[in-house]
Amino acid sequence: MKRKLITAGLGIAVILLLAILEYTGIIWHNEWFARQYEVKGLDVSHHQGKIDWRKVKEEKEYDFVYIKATEGKDFVDDRFRYNWNEAKRQGIMVGAYHFFSMRSSGEKQALHFIRIVPKEKDSLPPVIDVEIHLGHNRERVKKELRTMATRLRQHYDKQPILYVTYDTYNTYIRGDFQDCRIWIRDILKPPSLDERSWSLWQYSNRGRVDGIPTYVDINAFYGDINAFRREMAR
């Protein structure tokens, strides 16, 4: 009986230790599933504070970074310009993302993004982050989102990527926006959509990267580096 209690206690201690290590980002179970993908990248905003991009580059693990630029029709991330310039200076491929809102039209949001994010041939396609409330009128969301995606495509000559959760994908995106690639968030397991494939997978929100003072999101691309360069050029 005593041996069983000791064994049970050790088992609980191990589980608690693993839970603590995962919560603090020292380990992350999705890393096991993501190891098959050679192209990895980060996404950052002002929440990460001042990033030392030289140290990030020295890790030699991350090929790209998506940087928050704008939100709605007037918000600008105050770290965008610094992150964009410094990441590029270190030779990291950069792209910008916009946090979509239903408080303003897709047209106004597109114009706001265009004012802030430079058009550069070697930058990654723009991303529209669709994490809105699920109670909006579906057709109205699709109309405004389509307007924004079209305007960004016309300006940057690259088809925007849609960042989604399962909830927003199933509510607003599924069965539509076939020209837009999908960036899916799933920090629990490998992503599983319907018949549609994904291009980017955010598999961790507890990344620990030298040069970044807080947790950071880590992402994987479905193919190799050559496929990444080809796909991100269109």
Side-chain angles (χ1 to χ4, degrees), residues 116-162:
I116 301 302
V117 179
K119 180 180 179 179
E120 298 175 354
K121 185 177 181 180
D122 60 347
S123 63
L124 304 175
V127 166
I128 306 174
D129 183 338
V130 187
E131 293 184 90
I132 56 175
H133 190 275
L134 302 178
H136 296 291
N137 178 277
R138 185 170 182 266
E139 293 308 313
R140 180 167 172 254
V141 171
K142 290 169 68 173
K143 175 180 178 293
E144 300 302 340
L145 188 56
R146 188 175 292 108
T147 297
M148 182 173 189
T150 299
R151 289 287 283 169
L152 295 186
R153 174 70 179 87
Q154 291 170 344
H155 180 78
Y156 293 101
D157 299 319
K158 294 179 181 179
Q159 187 66 43
I161 297 169
L162 301 181

Side-chain angles (χ1 to χ4, degrees), residues 28-41 61-63 189-191 198 201-204 218-224:
W28 192 257
H29 68 280
N30 256 356
E31 291 282 358
W32 175 262
F33 302 117
R35 64 187 302 179
Q36 64 180 298
Y37 303 109
E38 70 174 62
V39 181
K40 302 287 176 58
E61 292 187 22
Y62 305 105
D63 300 288
K189 58 178 176 52
W198 53 270
W201 167 31
Q202 184 185 102
Y203 65 85
S204 173
I218 304 180
N219 307 272
F221 175 71
Y222 76 91
D224 62 19

Side-chain angles (χ1 to χ4, degrees), residues 43 45 47 68 70-71 97-102 109 127-136 141 145 161-169 171-173 183-187 202 205 217 219:
D43 61 273
S45 70
H47 292 297
K68 183 173 182 179
T70 52
E71 181 174 337
Y97 76 89
H98 170 87
F99 196 91
F100 186 72
S101 169
M102 285 302 290
Q109 292 182 69
V127 166
I128 306 174
D129 183 338
V130 187
E131 293 184 90
I132 56 175
H133 190 275
L134 302 178
H136 296 291
V141 171
L145 188 56
I161 297 169
L162 301 181
Y163 172 94
V164 295
T165 64
Y166 288 117
D167 284 341
T168 55
Y169 176 80
T171 303
Y172 302 117
I173 309 302
W183 179 358
I184 180 68
R185 181 184 192 271
D186 193 334
I187 61 173
Q202 184 185 102
N205 65 346
D217 298 332
N219 307 272

